[in-house]
Structures are given as C-alpha cells and as structure tokens.
Amino acid sequence: MNDNSFSLWVYLSQSPLLWLTVTLLTYAAADAVSLKTRRHPLANPVLHSVWIIGVFLLLTGTSYTTYFAGAQFVHFLLGPATVALAVPLYENRRRVAAAILPMLVALAIGSLTAIVSVVLLAQAFGLPRDVILSLAPKSVTAGVAMGISESLHADPSLTAVSVILTGIMGAIIVTPLMNFTGITDFRARGFAAGIAAHGIGTARAFQVDEVAGVFAGIAMSLNALVTSLLVPLAVTYLLR
C-alpha cells in the first residue's frame, strides 16, 4: 500500500496540473481566511499562499522548476489581469482626468524616492554593488523589474524576490499607515499603494475600495515606465 501511494505521488508530482491545483486551492483558502477577517492587512492571501506553498515544496522535496511547470499558467494570467484594469479605469475616467496633475507630481516623487531610498540604504549597510543593482527596481511589477535587472547585469532572481517582498510588505502596511497619517482620499491611498507595492498593492487597494484600486493600477503602470528610465540614471549617479 505504501509503495503504491509513493508511486502515485511520484507520478502526480510530475504533472503540471497538480501544482496548478495546489496553487489555486492554496490561494482560495488563504483568500477565504482573509475575507473572514474582513480583509485584515495581516491576513493578506498572497503572503500566506507563498509560505504555505513554500513549506509544501520543501516537505515534498519538489524543485521550483517542477512547481513552476504548473504555476506558469497562473503566471501567464498576470498579463490579461493587468490589461483588465482598463475596465475600471474607463469607468472612472473623469475622476482620473481631474487628478492628472497631482498624479504626475506624486509619480515623479514616488518613483524617485523608491529608487534612491533603497540604493542609499543598501549602501549604508555595505551591500555589494550587484545586490544594490538587483534591489533598485523593487517597486515595479516583476516582469519589468527583472528586465531592468538584466539590463544592469544584476541578478533577476534576487530582483524577483525583492519585488514580491516589497509588494507583500506594502499591501500589509498601506492601510494602517494611511489611517495613521489621516489620509482618507482613496485616490491618494490607491496611488501610493500602486507606486510602492505594484501589483500586490493594487490587489489590496481593490479589496478596500474600487476607486483606490483604479488609481493604484494607474500608478503601477506609470511607475513601471518611469522606473525603467530612472533606475539606470540613478544607479549611475549614486554608485560612482
């Protein structure tokens, strides 16, 4: 019986469908818990899905390559999901147009702050140059950040990890931080989440308020463009 169970597991573990199912079920369970807690920041479904799946892979001795063979189907949907942000953007186009000037100012300041702060902090802690270059684009969505990292001859894998951690941390602290600072305008709250915490922050913003989600999506998209231009210039100046 044990031999048959082991053989079955070996067979299933090589199937992309298994890891796709594990990913979807884990996230669905984490999201249900998040909903039960009324979307408490610490019950962020991405955060808990990551560590649960990580522990499961560790216990089963499964390589990331094997896991990603199934998870890549979810990864593929990131593109369509990002494009789908155009729907709420269109529905709130008048609000967006009315706030275009302060958005551009916040975008420039936010993008530059995200880059300069992490570079200066990394330098202060004596991190190697290649690590600093990998961390510089941490506040944009993973695909863009990894592309920037490659162009700087840094480590895209380290960049991806820093992007995920940044997104999770941003999604956790954005609501308590905005409440603490007294910022009640959901346009500002969402835009800040999108700049600082890209896609994960945008998902959190949509959980809180649709307007916040719209402005977070705009910030995420524009920040990817601006950061791709600013990072090479900033690191060249700061890491001379």
Side-chain angles (χ1 to χ4, degrees):
M1 182 64 179
N2 291 335
D3 290 341
N4 290 338
S5 298
F6 179 75
S7 299
L8 178 62
W9 168 251
V10 170
Y11 171 75
L12 291 176
S13 65
Q14 302 305 311
S15 170
L17 181 59
L18 172 66
W19 301 113
L20 175 61
T21 304
V22 168
T23 301
L24 295 178
L25 289 179
T26 302
Y27 184 84
D31 190 58
V33 172
S34 175
L35 188 59
K36 285 289 186 181
T37 63
R38 299 182 180 180
R39 299 300 185 188
H40 191 282
L42 291 178
N44 185 278
V46 176
L47 168 63
H48 295 291
S49 296
V50 167
W51 75 259
I52 290 172
I53 293 175
V55 169
F56 186 67
L57 296 180
L58 184 63
L59 292 176
T60 58
T62 304
S63 68
Y64 179 76
T65 303
T66 300
Y67 165 74
F68 192 71
Q72 65 179 326
F73 300 110
V74 177
H75 180 76
F76 167 77
L77 292 175
L78 288 175
T82 303
V83 174
L85 292 174
V87 176
L89 172 59
Y90 177 78
E91 293 175 346
N92 292 271
R93 60 191 180 281
R94 290 186 177 85
R95 286 184 176 181
V96 172
I100 191 68
L101 183 58
M103 280 198 310
L104 292 177
V105 174
L107 174 66
I109 295 174
S111 298
L112 193 59
T113 300
I115 299 167
V116 173
S117 61
V118 71
V119 171
L120 293 181
L121 282 172
Q123 281 185 309
F125 281 98
L127 297 182
R129 178 185 175 89
D130 58 337
V131 174
I132 297 176
L133 292 176
S134 301
L135 296 177
K138 65 174 179 56
S139 289
V140 297
T141 190
V144 176
M146 293 174 71
I148 296 173
S149 181
E150 289 178 351
S151 70
L152 296 174
H153 304 292
D155 185 352
S157 299
L158 178 58
T159 300
V161 171
S162 68
V163 167
I164 294 171
L165 291 176
T166 299
I168 291 174
M169 291 175 62
I172 290 174
I173 69 173
V174 63
T175 298
L177 180 62
M178 293 297 170
N179 291 340
F180 177 76
T181 55
I183 298 174
T184 58
D185 190 330
F186 280 112
R187 297 175 299 174
R189 292 167 74 115
F191 202 80
I195 288 181
H198 50 82
I200 300 176
T202 299
R204 170 61 182 167
F206 269 111
Q207 289 178 344
V208 175
D209 183 84
E210 181 179 339
V211 172
V214 168
F215 279 82
I218 296 170
M220 177 185 70
S221 302
L222 294 178
N223 191 39
L225 174 62
V226 173
T227 299
S228 65
L229 298 174
L230 288 181
V231 164
L233 296 175
V235 298
T236 299
Y237 177 76
L238 295 173
L239 299 178
R240 287 185 297 181

